[in-house]
Amino acid sequence: MLKVLLVDDEAPILNNLNRVLPWEEMGMTVAGMARSGMEALRIAEEQRPDLVLCDIRMPVMDGLTFISKLREMGLESEVLLLSGYQEFDYAQEAIRLGVKEYICKPIHYEDLGRKVREIGVKILSRQFKDKLYNSIPLFQETPAAETGSAKKTPDQLMSLAVQYITERLNTDIGIEEVASRIGISSSYFCLLFKNRFAMTFVEYVTLQRIEAAKFMLESTGKSIAVIGAGIGYQERRYFTKVFQKQTGMSPKEYRDRHRKAEV
């Protein structure tokens, strides 16, 4: 489960954030709640949250100062700012601190839930990149442990599924295969998967394949055809089509743009 830290000096808002959003369904758990930046720092140090929902205006230590301290601690948690203030200076400082998302008060919880799900997918994608980086040679298959569904929670089952998918992105993997591997029916698997990731199995696999392709385009000199084959697309033309649909540019354009950005 991804860990979430909630930070707001207004107790009613803090309690609503904890109570209203379907955290477990989104594959997340509230690891801590804080009403000040100082308290939030203490919890962050202990829990090392993946995501922080933080009010921008708080007494003693405001949200931006808290985030700055968070970065000084070496934590790269994704941050979603909650704010009734839209001053340009705040936006500039937030961008400098790596904050890319915010929700304006009064909070519309449906919109907030949608935004949190999107960030959750982003965090999982980043973790997937980290796994790729630390598992060279890429896509080297490792024997999966025998698993069964007995006494496993939905979250544990989905974690096993993600592990199995990640290790086999270069194969023609399907729902039936993954569901059978973790010991549940295909229909139950689809239900759990959609609840956990807010997307279909095919959408998730495509997203992870494209994230892997982007990583390799940025960090290796492998040919586009080899990269495509490495993530399950044997035909370069089809790989290019899928990549362009997901990113708005061809693999070559993506690689060229990244290299220019590094110059």
Side-chain angles (χ1 to χ4, degrees):
M1 299 282 274
L2 297 178
K3 293 183 179 181
V4 182
L5 171 58
L6 306 178
V7 189
D8 199 299
D9 63 312
E10 297 183 55
I13 292 179
L14 198 61
N15 291 330
N16 282 341
L17 289 172
N18 182 44
R19 180 175 53 85
V20 175
L21 294 183
W23 295 109
E24 186 172 347
E25 289 181 16
M26 296 190 293
M28 302 180 185
T29 182
V30 176
M33 299 168 59
R35 294 187 59 186
S36 71
M38 293 299 295
E39 183 183 6
L41 280 178
R42 178 185 59 78
I43 296 173
E45 187 173 15
E46 293 176 356
Q47 298 293 332
R48 306 188 71 82
D50 299 290
L51 171 62
V52 177
L53 273 65
C54 180
D55 188 17
I56 202 170
R57 280 289 185 97
M58 296 182 292
V60 184
M61 180 186 291
D62 65 18
L64 294 181
T65 303
F66 160 68
I67 297 166
S68 178
K69 298 289 185 183
L70 198 70
R71 298 305 183 222
E72 289 175 10
M73 290 165 56
L75 294 180
E76 298 180 358
S77 314
E78 289 287 342
V79 177
L80 175 58
L81 281 178
L82 311 173
S83 174
Y85 300 86
Q86 301 182 48
E87 292 93 334
F88 183 66
D89 289 345
Y90 278 100
Q92 280 188 313
E93 179 64 11
I95 291 171
R96 188 186 70 79
L97 294 170
V99 178
K100 301 181 181 67
E101 305 287 353
Y102 73 94
I103 288 283
C104 288
K105 294 180 178 180
I107 297 171
H108 297 283
Y109 287 94
E110 186 175 343
D111 293 340
L112 178 60
R114 190 159 44 244
K115 182 72 70 176
V116 168
R117 287 181 188 273
E118 291 174 1
I119 296 174
V121 171
K122 184 189 301 182
I123 294 170
L124 289 172
S125 297
R126 186 182 67 211
Q127 291 177 348
F128 173 71
K129 282 187 178 183
D130 292 341
K131 180 169 184 174
L132 282 178
Y133 184 80
N134 292 315
S135 61
I136 302 298
L138 295 177
F139 302 114
Q140 177 179 0
E141 290 207 8
T142 56
E146 291 297 324
T147 61
S149 60
K151 297 184 179 179
K152 287 187 170 58
T153 66
D155 183 61
Q156 290 172 325
L157 289 170
M158 289 300 94
S159 294
L160 289 171
V162 166
Q163 179 184 352
Y164 190 78
I165 292 166
T166 300
E167 293 170 350
R168 289 161 179 78
L169 284 180
N170 60 329
T171 67
D172 186 19
I173 193 170
I175 291 172
E176 292 79 7
E177 177 185 347
V178 183
S180 175
R181 184 63 180 181
I182 64 176
I184 61 177
S185 69
S186 298
S187 58
Y188 185 45
F189 173 83
C190 290
L191 177 64
L192 292 182
F193 201 91
K194 189 68 179 289
N195 284 340
R196 172 69 183 270
F197 299 106
M199 64 179 71
T200 66
F201 172 82
V202 172
E203 290 170 338
Y204 178 86
V205 171
T206 300
L207 174 64
Q208 298 310 314
R209 283 175 168 165
I210 297 306
E211 287 298 321
K214 287 160 65 176
F215 174 78
M216 287 189 284
L217 288 166
E218 295 169 9
S219 60
T220 77
K222 294 179 182 292
S223 71
I224 291 171
V226 168
I227 290 174
I231 57 171
Y233 299 111
Q234 301 304 320
E235 296 183 9
R236 172 171 170 165
R237 183 179 300 177
Y238 183 60
F239 167 53
T240 298
K241 180 180 179 180
V242 175
F243 190 94
Q244 194 155 20
K245 183 177 180 181
Q246 293 290 319
T247 66
M249 65 188 83
S250 70
K252 183 179 184 303
E253 289 170 336
Y254 182 89
R255 173 174 269 170
D256 290 344
R257 181 174 297 186
H258 177 78
R259 286 177 175 173
K260 287 178 182 177
E262 289 182 338
V263 175

